Amino acid sequence: MNENLPKNSKPLIYYTLIAMVIITLLNALVFPLLLERPVIEVSYSDFLDMLEQGSITNVNMQEAQIVFEAAEKDGALQIYKTGIWPDENLLDRLREAKVTFSNAIPTQNSPLLNFLISWIFPILFFLFIGRLLMNSLSKRMGGNMMSFGKSGAKVYVPAQTGKTFADVAGQDEAKEALAEIVDFLHNPAKYAAIGAIMPKGALLVGPPGTGKTLLAKAVAGEANVPFFSISGSEFVEMFVGMGAAKVRDLFKQAYDKAPCIVFIDEIDTIGKKRDGISSISGNDEREQTLNQLLSEMDGFDGRKGVVILGATNRPETLDKALLRPGRFDRRIPVELPDLKGREDTLKVHAKSIQAAKDVDYLAIAKATPGASGAELANILNEAALRAVRMGRDIVNQNDLEESVEVILAGYQRKNAVLTPNEKKIVAYHEIGHALVAARQSSAAPVHKITIIPRTSGALGYILQMDDSESDRVLLTKEEVISKITTATGGRAAEMLVFGTATTGAANDIEQATKLARAMISRYGMSDQFGMVALEAVTNQYLGGDASLICSPETASKIDGEVVELVGRCLKSAEELLKQNTQKLRELAEFLYEKETLTGEEFMRMLAR
Ligand code: ADP
Ligand code: ZN
């Protein structure tokens, strides 16, 4: 079969068929009425009368009828017809009335015009409509169907990316690795002279929102070269064979503009590992696109100054062929920002908003471990929006703190109805967490506790803040256990005070289970298994799902140990709370009244 036949040719055929049927119907039914002027049928005697009156100008004898033209009173011409009558005198009468007569059809248009009107115009009309439809269709699908084979890459002239490394906070290692590429683009001749070949491509890998696109733009901005940007998903389109054509076109455009940067976002969508199954499931399209990309990368002259930057957050799924020397052989990690990186990111974005002089960005950075650059930018914007809502023209610390909570937990649900009893349970639950955390020396201090329901569904939560100067990278076994214990503190408090469990602990349970499982299967912290990897992380940048790599028997043993470990932690949380029942009640009642407790208030009451 022809590989290049559009996959969607079926709808096209249907469309053509329907158009043909409509045109034929128009020709048979509608056009005759439009083209021929209405004809009035009269009796033969009326015809003779009109002939005598001299109003008839033109008579046309046809096989079974006489068609004639007569002037109306107002001078307009009207066509009539009448049946044939055996009338020998007709010829004389006509001569007498001095009308022109013939047997040609008076109303007939030229055959060419008829053909144009009945066939060419409708076809043009349908082509026009079809094009309109296709355009709106392809616009909705994000591609451009009519420009088959065009890459559709957005081209930015140098000034338009407008980004430099100064716009990228933190990520110093990545910037360093990219600085060489910038230098190369500035001066390819220098590298050519010494015979050095620059890497053709570099792969930016890291979680979403960490600034991979931003870095690529900054490279183009720093080197002052054009920036081509396309997303991997744009290659895999509605028509088979189009992806490969797009790749070809993209590289052709890039050559013309060299030196330049070609940025391919989400490269994993085309660069996925090729396997035997894919050809059955109809993935040849992706494979063809990938092959085209590989051959383009192999084919082009590295000294020309075209640098391809790819970005992905699923590096483990990439086809090995993409990572071979001469292709994306440099791998540049773009990680989530650490404390300093978060502070810097906030400050970079704070330049574009009106913020109070005394805003403490470090405090915000401390409250947002694990947040990506994109989330931090979002927090600042959310704070600015809040300031406007409050009728202020400057963003203050409060706006920022509230916006951290909005980003982390959703908006306050002002109209959420909690019965007083539910509210009490939530208060005890949250204090349970906080108390258990505070009573285990190694647990992070509490920053804020609230029981104001959030749109995310959280009924209350604790903002924990790490006070150490940088993010914790290493956790000891004891610290992991105390984390699990803290997670079980909410349920423990509910059980202790109300004697029953509620559904509110679902998140805690998930968190505790995850940690316990990781301890056993990945961190080598169980006595039974020791330092044996029992799980492999499948996508480290997207939530870090893990899959078991052990026998089913071992898997069930792991399950057993997880149950046992979490159970033990719950026991010790209950133990801790039992010893502090008085404090638990005091704090929970206080929180119930006030709905929000700061870290200091909490510690003060605890110390009393
Ligand atoms: P990615 O491509 O890694 O998913 P982006 O580059 O699209 O992430 O980042 C999205 C937005 O987040 C950027 O436009 C920028 O506003 C912000 N951002 C992310 N990382 C940083 C950073 N390191 N410094 C400044 N802003 C950042
Ligand atoms: Zn909880």
Side-chain angles (χ1 to χ4, degrees):
M1 217 190 88
N2 186 358
E3 295 275 47
N4 284 325
L5 196 72
K7 177 162 61 189
N8 293 29
S9 52
K10 258 205 184 132
L12 270 180
I13 290 173
Y14 287 138
Y15 176 78
T16 318
L17 276 180
I18 291 173
M20 292 302 275
V21 168
I22 293 179
I23 292 176
T24 316
L25 282 179
L26 281 178
N27 272 328
L29 302 173
V30 182
F31 286 139
L33 295 180
L34 289 180
L35 290 177
E36 281 157 34
R37 280 168 274 173
V39 176
I40 299 174
E41 190 159 1
V42 292
S43 64
Y44 197 76
S45 55
D46 285 345
F47 166 60
L48 292 184
D49 287 348
M50 285 160 91
L51 199 59
E52 251 159 51
Q53 283 159 22
S55 59
I56 294 181
T57 57
N58 211 330
V59 174
N60 178 249
M61 287 291 267
Q62 290 176 6
E63 227 165 273
Q65 62 182 12
I66 302 173
V67 177
F68 59 98
E69 211 171 34
E72 299 277 273
K73 287 190 188 75
D74 55 6
L77 288 176
Q78 172 62 52
I79 297 176
Y80 298 87
K81 67 177 181 187
T82 184
I84 301 258
W85 193 262
D87 182 354
E88 272 141 41
N89 300 331
L90 179 60
L91 219 61
D92 297 336
R93 290 184 215 260
L94 288 173
R95 277 249 182 263
E96 206 169 302
K98 292 204 171 64
V99 299
T100 40
F101 58 94
S102 68
N103 55 5
I105 303 159
T107 55
Q108 185 144 41
N109 293 316
S110 88
L112 181 67
L113 190 67
N114 265 350
F115 179 69
L116 277 180
I117 291 178
S118 52
W119 286 101
I120 301 299
F121 288 150
I123 287 175
L124 287 179
F125 176 73
F126 277 106
L127 278 181
F128 175 72
I129 294 280
R131 214 191 158 103
L132 226 62
L133 277 176
M134 297 254 259
N135 272 349
S136 74
L137 193 73
S138 66
K139 219 171 268 163
R140 241 178 302 149
M141 306 186 51
N144 186 355
M145 248 169 65
M146 292 316 265
S147 63
F148 300 139
K150 285 272 182 291
S151 75
K154 288 160 256 158
V155 189
Y156 297 88
V157 283
Q160 272 175 339
T161 86
K163 301 283 185 211
T164 63
F165 281 153
D167 293 309
V168 188
Q171 309 295 3
D172 293 329
E173 296 82 5
K175 283 190 212 168
E176 212 166 282
L178 291 167
E180 196 184 17
I181 292 179
V182 173
D183 188 53
F184 166 67
L185 288 170
H186 265 310
N187 196 352
K190 185 171 86 184
Y191 288 78
I194 202 170
I197 298 170
M198 270 310 282
K200 289 172 180 174
L203 200 59
L204 300 162
V205 292
T210 45
K212 296 183 290 296
T213 311
L214 189 64
L215 271 166
K217 283 185 182 169
V219 170
E222 289 278 338
N224 207 27
V225 297
F227 179 71
F228 292 83
S229 152
I230 189 164
S231 168
S233 55
E234 283 172 57
F235 283 122
V236 184
E237 271 223 351
M238 30 174 49
F239 293 129
V240 175
M242 285 307 129
K246 275 193 161 197
V247 172
R248 227 174 295 133
D249 184 70
L250 172 66
F251 276 83
K252 203 169 137 298
Q253 284 192 50
Y255 277 138
D256 293 345
K257 291 270 186 341
C260 65
I261 297 278
V262 175
F263 177 64
I264 306 178
D265 204 357
E266 304 170 42
I267 196 161
D268 45 289
T269 46
I270 46 171
K272 246 181 259 156
K273 283 197 186 81
R274 289 167 292 187
D275 47 24
I277 323 156
S278 68
S279 47
I280 305 168
S281 55
N283 271 342
D284 333 359
E285 164 65 348
R286 214 199 60 227
E287 228 160 85
Q288 274 184 32
T289 309
L290 176 58
N291 286 337
Q292 187 64 39
L293 179 65
L294 294 179
S295 80
E296 289 286 351
M297 287 190 80
D298 290 342
F300 79 69
D301 181 354
R303 281 160 297 202
K304 266 267 190 66
V306 178
V307 173
I308 303 148
L309 296 178
T312 179
N313 39 38
R314 316 202 51 188
E316 72 282 350
T317 65
L318 287 181
D319 198 301
K320 290 279 174 294
L322 258 181
L323 309 173
R324 275 222 306 267
R327 293 166 181 169
F328 290 101
D329 46 3
R330 287 211 181 170
R331 188 184 167 119
I332 302 175
V334 185
E335 298 288 350
L336 287 172
D338 57 6
L339 184 66
K340 176 87 172 46
R342 291 198 299 275
E343 190 188 355
D344 291 346
T345 308
L346 287 167
K347 283 182 176 161
V348 164
H349 285 276
K351 281 186 201 138
S352 54
I353 63 169
Q354 304 294 325
K357 289 265 178 313
D358 61 346
V359 168
D360 184 359
Y361 292 108
L362 183 61
I364 304 299
K366 277 186 179 172
T368 48
S372 69
E375 281 167 323
L376 292 170
N378 201 4
I379 283 172
L380 272 177
N381 189 49
E382 197 60 50
L385 289 176
R386 185 181 128 99
V388 174
R389 268 201 301 277
M390 298 285 172
R392 274 182 276 108
D393 52 9
I394 222 153
V395 177
N396 63 24
Q397 191 77 19
N398 250 339
D399 295 328
L400 279 163
E401 284 188 359
E402 175 60 26
S403 124
V404 168
E405 288 176 48
V406 167
I407 302 296
L408 296 185
Y411 287 96
Q412 291 189 3
R413 247 163 65 190
K414 289 268 160 48
N415 53 357
V417 206
L418 281 189
T419 64
N421 191 42
E422 282 171 332
K423 198 173 146 190
K424 193 150 273 180
I425 294 176
V426 175
Y428 273 94
H429 178 108
E430 298 306 334
I431 293 295
H433 282 305
L435 204 52
V436 170
R439 283 293 180 234
Q440 300 174 91
S441 50
S442 56
V446 180
H447 180 60
K448 184 174 175 178
I449 310 168
T450 126
I451 52 168
I452 300 169
R454 295 277 162 173
T455 46
S456 67
L459 295 176
Y461 62 92
I462 295 182
L463 273 183
Q464 285 204 349
M465 186 161 93
D466 214 336
D467 236 2
S468 50
E469 272 318 296
S470 65
D471 287 337
R472 297 297 304 273
V473 195
L474 288 180
L475 287 177
T476 63
K477 182 175 174 182
E478 289 69 33
E479 283 166 332
V480 183
I481 289 182
S482 93
K483 271 193 157 197
I484 302 175
T485 310
T486 302
T488 58
R491 166 65 63 86
E494 288 177 34
M495 294 295 290
L496 190 66
V497 178
F498 302 94
T500 183
T502 68
T503 53
N507 261 335
D508 303 336
I509 292 170
E510 191 186 327
Q511 202 194 339
T513 312
K514 232 183 188 167
L515 275 170
R517 182 168 273 280
M519 265 184 82
I520 297 158
S521 64
R522 302 209 327 255
Y523 302 146
M525 289 176 178
S526 90
D527 297 331
Q528 187 180 352
F529 299 107
M531 281 182 61
V532 174
L534 303 168
E535 271 183 352
V537 178
T538 41
N539 51 357
Q540 79 191 99
Y541 294 125
L542 297 172
D545 290 344
S547 57
L548 285 167
I549 44 170
C550 56
S551 67
E553 296 83 59
T554 314
S556 77
K557 278 188 201 157
I558 296 176
D559 291 339
E561 199 158 326
V562 169
V563 171
E564 199 257 332
L565 178 58
V566 176
R568 231 183 318 137
C569 289
L570 180 62
K571 272 270 163 330
S572 69
E574 279 172 346
E575 218 31 65
L576 274 171
L577 290 177
K578 258 187 208 140
Q579 292 159 13
N580 294 280
T581 319
Q582 189 49 35
K583 284 280 175 236
L584 174 64
R585 287 187 188 280
E586 255 174 54
L587 282 159
E589 296 299 330
F590 187 69
L591 179 62
Y592 176 79
E593 289 304 324
K594 284 203 44 185
E595 297 196 342
T596 302
L597 257 179
T598 67
E600 286 107 68
E601 284 173 320
F602 176 82
M603 292 315 271
R604 222 179 311 124
M605 287 188 68
L606 193 63
R608 263 209 314 252

